[in-house]
Amino acid sequence: MLLEAVYHRPRLNWSYAYDVNTIHLRLRAKKGDLTEVFAWAGDKYAWDTTKELIPMTLFTSDAMFDYWECSSVPMHRRLKYGFLLQKEHERIWMTESDFQTTRPENPNRLFEFPYLNRVDVFTPPAWVKDTVFYQIFPERFANGDPSLSPEGVLPWGGAPQRDNFFGGDLQGVIDHLDYLSELGISGIYFTPVFTATTNHKYDTEDYMKIDPHFGDAATLKRLVDACHERGIRVLLDAVFNHSGRTFAPFVDVLEKGEDSAYKDWFHIRQFPLEVVNGIPTYDTFAFEPLMPKLNTENPEVKEYLLRVAEYWIKEIGIDGWRLDVANEVDHEFWREFRKVVKRANPEAYILGEIWHESAPWLEGDKFDAVMNYPFTDAVTDFFVNASLDAEGFANAIGKQLSRYPLQASEVAFNLLDSHDTPRLLTLAGGDKNKLKLAALFQFTFMGTPCIYYGDEIGMDGEGDPDCRKCMEWDTEKQDRELFSYFRRLIDIRSSHPALRTGSIHFLEAARQGSKLAYERRLGDDVLIILLNNEETAQTFRIDVDERNWENVFTGDTLRAERSKLTVKLPAYGYAVIKAVL
């Protein structure tokens, strides 16, 4: 038993309240080392009458470690606990301070979950688990009101550049809500819609005004109301890390220098404000002079931005915020931001843009979720680049699941591409079979899936600006078969609770292999997903219960023989198989 690999701490993703009654405990061990693990738990004030051994299950693994998990519903909302580790006949007890071969005589040196306070429970909005998002880059989605178009607007469908415009607006989105409803979309994430000078609008000029090229507040209100009538939630982009160069307080600093009343709204290292050897004398997003970084520790800045966050929820009725460059803003600001937003709408979704491991932002006091780019990377590496085999992919997914409390994973924002990345179809060299496999995993995995506009009809594009092409509305140029495939994925996901909130268990993911099989289970709702990421036909033989199974895509009935389900899939083939009661 390699005790050096065993890890637990009473915090974060290791010991947390899943809901107002339930505590989850997790323990890490060397992969394949332990055969059984138990939590030894009870009430610290009534240890002798409440202590019990709770079996832990192997809930996920990565390349190096297994992660064991159990749930406890303590009668008095307190938990004192240790662990019993077993490797065949070897037994080791783990306390907060050491490992020992004999059972501890008393609980004094065990770990502790002091009290399950309701106010401390991290509770993301439940609706997110049932939502399929669609990301819209407003300037490139649809031109619904040409009278709003900027001077020099180009004909729709031209080559995108970093500084050109095609006239997309909010009315264009309203005009195409039937299309989104037909697809099955239940949430829209908009990149910024507030006044700015660029086509992407990440250089905010006025946080309280809709960009006139998009419409006005009344237009946005009509859009939000129309979406809500269709059961579609609306998420706006909050760019609170930095403003634009034309933001009035920054203009004042540019004009008045050290005499400006707004100089402390920004992080200024020296006056005058200028760029020296490519680096501004004030902090910015990256080193972009047009995007000065806001000082969110400044009380006036904080008051202004929190008023913005509250206003658009209360006055327009948006359902949440996506937070740009979220990890560069101080944590205290996000704590206050969460309180303001949740007071305005307790069911609002708070989504942070962070591209890496994000546990410090997912403790229940800041964000509900982050954009799951580690998921994106793993999917791309396996299904497109082939730089991961099936085992490596399962390990990458397992590592990601181990990092966060379950409720955070259940509402993670899972994307295949975005306005900041090349489109997946382009990375796949135009191979729609690879796109289909990646999307199938996305829609049968834990978290909320997001489609980047146009992916569902076969749009391609290299990195910015090519990934920001005009939406293709000519049905003759759309891949309608691919559209139907995405619509079917959404229907399958919405029809099976196990795909949204069930457990996940990999059934086949071999080293140097290209076959992937995994189970999603929630009570009697059991589905097995099979993916052949290979240009050759392959046969799966999966251990299952002796019962009938049905291929969700084809409706064919399958029968397990001798507890084995045998399915042959063509090159880049797939199957979703459900248990028939």
Side-chain angles (χ1 to χ4, degrees):
M1 193 181 297
L2 187 66
L3 297 181
E4 294 94 325
V6 176
Y7 182 80
H8 172 83
R9 68 178 301 187
R11 182 86 193 275
L12 301 173
N13 52 315
W14 302 100
S15 173
Y16 63 91
Y18 176 68
D19 57 35
V20 296
N21 299 306
T22 309
I23 295 171
H24 283 183
L25 302 177
R26 291 178 179 172
L27 179 128
R28 189 195 76 189
K30 178 188 175 183
K31 190 168 186 173
D33 194 35
L34 303 182
T35 53
E36 282 189 287
V37 181
F38 298 86
W40 189 42
D43 188 290
K44 63 182 177 180
Y45 298 120
W47 178 255
D48 290 337
T49 58
T50 61
K51 62 185 178 183
E52 62 174 326
L53 285 171
I54 305 172
M56 302 184 76
T57 59
L58 180 59
F59 92 98
T60 195
S61 300
D62 61 28
M64 298 177 65
F65 302 109
D66 287 333
Y67 299 88
W68 299 79
E69 181 182 66
C70 71
S71 298
S72 175
V73 182
M75 182 181 301
H76 301 292
R77 310 177 72 81
R78 301 179 295 259
L79 205 64
K80 199 82 170 176
Y81 63 92
F83 299 98
L84 172 59
L85 318 176
Q86 293 192 194
K87 182 176 183 179
E88 298 175 349
H89 300 297
E90 183 182 4
R91 291 160 59 94
I92 297 290
W93 297 84
M94 178 183 182
T95 72
E96 188 174 52
S97 57
D98 62 10
F99 297 96
Q100 53 191 73
T101 56
T102 58
R103 185 196 303 254
E105 295 183 1
N106 60 63
N108 292 345
R109 295 189 179 182
L110 298 183
F111 298 97
E112 186 171 335
F113 195 104
Y115 193 81
L116 202 168
N117 293 289
R118 294 176 184 270
V119 70
D120 293 332
V121 179
F122 176 21
T123 309
W127 60 265
V128 177
K129 291 181 285 189
D130 300 324
T131 301
V132 174
F133 275 97
Y134 190 87
Q135 182 187 350
I136 291 178
F137 192 86
E139 216 283 320
R140 303 292 162 77
F141 189 65
N143 188 335
D145 185 354
S147 70
L148 301 177
S149 297
E151 184 178 350
V153 66
L154 299 176
W156 194 259
Q161 301 296 333
R162 291 183 181 272
D163 57 357
N164 60 5
F165 293 83
F166 294 93
D169 52 40
L170 298 181
Q171 185 59 50
V173 180
I174 295 173
D175 294 343
H176 290 91
L177 288 179
D178 284 346
Y179 171 86
L180 297 181
S181 293
E182 180 188 2
L183 181 58
I185 297 303
S186 47
I188 300 175
Y189 151 45
F190 288 99
T191 53
V193 298
F194 305 123
T195 306
T197 65
T198 59
N199 55 36
H200 55 71
K201 309 301 179 188
Y202 280 98
D203 58 324
T204 312
E205 178 177 297
D206 189 340
Y207 291 83
M208 299 298 288
K209 183 180 178 182
I210 301 299
D211 193 286
H213 296 152
F214 290 167
D216 55 22
T219 314
L220 179 62
K221 177 64 174 172
R222 287 198 305 273
L223 171 57
V224 170
D225 290 346
C227 285
H228 288 171
E229 289 174 3
R230 295 166 179 264
I232 298 174
R233 310 271 185 162
V234 176
L235 204 65
L236 293 189
D237 209 320
V239 190
F240 289 171
N241 174 70
H242 56 270
S243 70
R245 188 182 186 281
T246 56
F247 181 49
F250 190 71
V251 172
D252 193 81
V253 178
L254 284 171
E255 294 176 349
K256 300 177 182 176
E258 292 189 74
D259 295 328
S260 172
Y262 298 99
K263 66 178 181 179
D264 292 331
W265 279 47
F266 306 93
H267 296 270
I268 299 171
R269 295 190 300 280
Q270 69 181 59
F271 291 95
L273 302 188
E274 58 183 343
V275 178
V276 180
N277 296 325
I279 299 178
T281 59
Y282 51 95
D283 290 350
T284 64
F285 167 66
F287 295 113
E288 174 51 66
L290 300 181
M291 298 180 177
K293 182 175 174 61
L294 290 162
N295 179 9
T296 49
E297 297 178 43
N298 181 290
E300 294 176 351
V301 174
K302 187 180 297 185
E303 179 184 5
Y304 173 76
L305 295 179
L306 295 181
R307 187 166 70 249
V308 169
E310 180 182 59
Y311 174 84
W312 295 102
I313 291 177
K314 283 190 171 182
E315 298 302 319
I316 303 300
I318 68 168
D319 300 287
W321 290 103
R322 181 266 193 187
L323 310 172
D324 191 56
V325 200
N327 56 334
E328 295 188 21
V329 177
D330 66 273
H331 287 256
E332 186 57 30
F333 175 83
W334 290 134
R335 292 187 183 96
E336 295 192 36
F337 174 89
R338 183 179 183 87
K339 291 176 182 177
V340 168
V341 167
K342 294 295 184 176
R343 278 198 300 266
N345 178 5
E347 291 299 304
Y349 182 42
I350 302 176
L351 172 67
E353 184 209 12
I354 301 179
W355 290 58
H356 51 78
E357 197 274 331
S358 308
W361 290 270
L362 297 173
E363 297 183 60
D365 59 341
K366 291 178 277 291
F367 308 157
D368 293 314
V370 293
M371 300 185 76
N372 200 355
Y373 278 107
F375 163 91
T376 312
D377 293 340
V379 167
T380 304
D381 288 345
F382 177 59
F383 291 105
V384 175
N385 299 332
S387 57
L388 284 180
D389 57 18
E391 181 186 54
F393 176 70
N395 287 337
I397 293 298
K399 177 178 288 187
Q400 188 62 20
L401 289 173
S402 74
R403 287 171 165 173
Y404 305 143
L406 177 59
Q407 58 264 53
S409 295
E410 289 176 336
V411 297
F413 197 83
N414 296 333
L415 63 162
L416 300 181
D417 46 21
S418 74
H419 67 291
D420 285 325
T421 72
R423 288 187 183 263
L424 192 75
L425 185 58
T426 294
L427 293 177
D431 190 336
K432 292 177 183 176
N433 290 317
K434 295 181 178 181
L435 172 62
K436 284 184 175 181
L437 290 183
L440 178 55
F441 184 80
Q442 178 191 28
F443 277 83
T444 55
F445 184 60
M446 187 181 303
T448 183
C450 180
I451 301 169
Y452 184 42
Y453 78 96
D455 279 0
E456 75 284 359
I457 55 169
M459 285 181 59
D460 59 8
E462 300 286 351
D464 175 22
D466 198 45
C467 58
R468 304 174 181 184
K469 293 177 181 177
C470 296
M471 176 66 175
E472 181 56 73
W473 291 113
D474 183 349
T475 55
E476 295 298 317
K477 296 179 180 179
Q478 294 180 348
D479 186 331
R480 299 303 296 179
E481 187 277 329
L482 188 60
F483 178 91
S484 296
Y485 176 77
F486 272 91
R487 183 170 61 182
R488 183 70 177 121
L489 290 184
I490 294 172
D491 178 65
I492 291 171
R493 182 178 179 84
S494 64
S495 300
H496 293 282
L499 297 179
R500 306 190 302 275
T501 58
S503 62
I504 182 170
H505 176 61
F506 286 98
L507 305 175
E508 181 171 350
R511 180 174 298 178
Q512 297 184 345
S514 53
K515 293 192 296 181
L516 191 71
Y518 52 98
E519 176 194 82
R520 299 298 312 275
R521 180 185 292 264
L522 184 66
D524 292 331
D525 190 25
V526 181
L527 295 101
I528 294 174
I529 298 90
L530 308 175
L531 302 171
N532 176 20
N533 189 33
E534 171 64 57
E535 60 184 10
T536 301
Q538 297 195 85
T539 298
F540 290 76
R541 292 183 177 88
I542 305 296
D543 293 327
V544 296
D545 298 335
E546 289 278 0
R547 65 167 94 184
N548 286 329
W549 297 79
E550 178 185 315
N551 187 318
V552 174
F553 278 100
T554 66
D556 295 341
T557 299
L558 305 172
R559 178 68 184 175
E561 296 183 5
R562 297 181 181 178
S563 299
K564 289 280 187 181
L565 190 63
T566 301
V567 180
K568 182 179 179 180
L569 293 181
Y572 298 111
Y574 52 85
V576 176
I577 301 170
K578 70 176 181 180
V580 179
L581 298 177

